[in-house]
Amino acid sequence: MISKFAFPTTIHFGPGARHLVAEHLKQHGVKRPLIVTDKGLAALAILHDFAESLAGLEAGLEVKVYAGVFGNPVKKQVDDGVKAFKEHHADAVVGFGGGAALDVAKAVALMAVHEGNVLEYAWDHPRVRPITKTLPWFVALPTTSGTGSEVGRSSVISDDATHVKKIIFNPVLLARAVFADPELTLDLPARVTAATGMDALTHNVESYLSPAYHPLCDGIALEGARIAAHALETAVKEPKNLPARSDMMMASMMGAIAFQKDLGAVHSCAHALGTVVDMHHGLANGIMIDHVMRFNADAAPAKMAELARVCGAGNTGESFVEWLGAIKSRIGIPATLGGKGVTARHIPQLVEIAVKDTCHQTNPKPVSAADFERIFTQAL
């Protein structure tokens, strides 16, 4: 069964939702869509079959695939995607992939009709460029359950040279429609399911713990954490379990909706790890979450106890931190950074970048450079 609802993006949710895309594009006058995806998906039947469903006799769309996304997305990937869009004379962008592909797809749609450097549209640029033109029609199909980028109004793109992440944040980046089909995640490897799932869990947890006032997001985040906590291990260990895959896809979207309230120090650490050692974002969140939650425990005891309760992890902040460590172990997320090539020599640069990152400004308690140094050191 495919459910349709809006929050505010129209979302078609359920097994087989991808089969609705061709008719949706035709109804909106699209003739020449550009599919933006990543290198890994480009070689798989799942992408070939989807592209064929758009280009077949019944749909008759002129489809081009841009598959230049890999790793943490950088400006050049966006530039190459814009070039592909213009060469195809495309009139729409279809994001098909995980968070990286969807972030690049949003940026391609933006830069297809705007001038300059995409990083000049980042919200914290000293001379941020305004978004003044209507973007091409954009729809999103997530193939992982982590970032929830399909329902987000931001795109995270890194500088090619420094790898510093920049966030373009604007409601015009929202997809016109999302086709959330959990069947697209059934073949994900366990390690990817685990890392992206910890990303989704982290979004919900950090949003809920943020001291900003947003009861609507609090409700979504708490329920998103509950759903993820009860589905993640099953999704990792039983990859063809469609109910678990569906729950993780929903938890991922809920986390992305909720974190418009803001995030916290886990994400500041993860952004630093992505910059310094190019660590996968979900994996970085997964490794760091319990270390940061241990630091936060005395600042939000009631909220952390509530997280423990909904996650089936006891009824205290301490039991929640212990549960995080245990579920990491059960799904194959490393307990520490050492096994991923991070050493003491990286800590000064990690601290420098984490302090400059804005996410920790809405952490439950302030995080100084000395605090970040202790957190990273304890996580080695």
Side-chain angles (χ1 to χ4, degrees):
M1 175 182 174
I2 298 174
S3 300
K4 181 181 178 181
F5 49 92
F7 203 89
T9 308
T10 298
I11 299 167
H12 304 266
F13 184 91
R18 65 192 183 279
H19 299 306
L20 303 177
V21 176
E23 184 59 31
H24 170 88
L25 294 177
K26 289 173 63 180
Q27 286 177 355
H28 291 279
V30 173
K31 294 181 171 61
R32 301 180 64 85
L34 175 74
I35 299 174
V36 176
T37 191
D38 63 58
K39 289 185 176 181
L41 284 168
L44 301 181
I46 193 172
L47 176 65
H48 175 78
D49 292 347
F50 174 68
E52 284 292 306
S53 75
L54 302 186
L57 290 176
E58 188 172 338
L61 301 175
E62 295 288 334
V63 179
K64 180 181 178 67
V65 175
Y66 167 65
V69 182
F70 59 94
N72 291 311
V74 295
K75 173 184 173 292
K76 186 178 186 305
Q77 296 175 18
V78 176
D79 294 342
D80 291 345
V82 172
K83 181 180 178 182
F85 183 96
K86 293 180 177 179
E87 287 177 348
H88 184 54
H89 302 288
D91 55 4
V93 174
V94 178
F96 187 96
L102 298 183
D103 277 5
V104 171
K106 292 176 195 177
V108 168
L110 170 67
M111 298 310 295
V113 292
H114 286 84
E115 302 295 326
N117 181 326
V118 65
L119 300 179
E120 294 171 346
Y121 292 85
W123 72 271
D124 61 346
H125 192 277
R127 293 180 299 278
V128 58
R129 285 178 177 260
I131 298 175
T132 58
K133 298 179 182 178
T134 301
L135 273 57
W137 197 262
F138 168 56
V139 302
L141 290 87
T143 62
T144 63
S145 298
T147 68
S149 182
E150 63 274 11
V151 293
R153 60 195 71 196
S154 63
S155 173
V156 181
I157 306 295
S158 297
D159 183 280
D160 293 87
T162 66
H163 297 286
V164 172
K165 294 176 183 289
K166 293 296 181 179
I167 302 173
I168 305 161
F169 185 88
N170 196 298
V172 303
L173 297 181
L174 284 166
R176 303 298 185 94
V178 171
F179 298 85
D181 186 341
E183 289 179 346
L184 295 176
T185 68
L186 291 177
D187 292 324
L188 282 177
R191 60 179 178 79
V192 177
T193 301
T196 55
M198 288 302 295
D199 195 21
L201 179 63
T202 303
H203 289 159
N204 283 292
V205 167
E206 287 212 294
S207 173
Y208 182 63
L209 291 177
S210 164
Y213 181 75
H214 203 320
L216 284 79
C217 285
D218 285 345
I220 294 168
L222 195 62
E223 177 65 359
R226 185 194 69 80
I227 292 172
H230 290 88
L232 177 54
E233 188 173 355
T234 301
V236 171
K237 295 182 176 179
E238 301 174 27
K240 301 297 185 183
N241 188 310
L242 192 56
R245 292 293 195 179
S246 297
D247 281 349
M248 287 310 303
M249 185 164 278
M250 179 55 69
S252 173
M253 290 196 297
M254 293 173 77
I257 290 168
F259 79 59
Q260 64 179 282
K261 179 192 171 190
D262 282 319
L263 292 165
V266 181
H267 270 76
S268 291
C269 292
H271 291 157
L273 288 162
T275 300
V276 176
V277 296
D278 199 28
M279 186 177 292
H280 179 278
H281 179 68
L283 177 61
N285 276 330
I287 294 175
M288 295 305 301
I289 185 170
D290 53 329
H291 300 285
V292 174
M293 289 304 119
R294 190 171 290 109
F295 170 80
N296 285 339
D298 63 345
K303 280 191 167 184
M304 287 185 67
E306 185 66 5
L307 282 166
R309 186 186 67 80
V310 301
C311 291
N315 56 15
T316 66
E318 290 76 11
S319 65
F320 179 61
V321 174
E322 290 174 5
W323 174 82
L324 287 169
I327 194 170
K328 283 170 55 174
S329 176
R330 294 197 300 270
I331 64 175
I333 297 292
T336 59
L337 296 167
K340 291 297 175 181
V342 181
T343 67
R345 70 180 178 83
H346 291 116
I347 288 181
Q349 191 178 4
L350 288 169
V351 170
E352 180 184 359
I353 294 168
V355 168
K356 292 178 181 177
D357 187 82
T358 58
C359 288
H360 70 86
Q361 293 175 9
T362 47
N363 197 61
K365 68 178 183 181
V367 195
S368 66
D371 292 327
F372 275 119
E373 183 176 6
R374 281 191 294 273
I375 291 168
F376 279 122
T377 299
Q378 291 166 2
L380 281 181

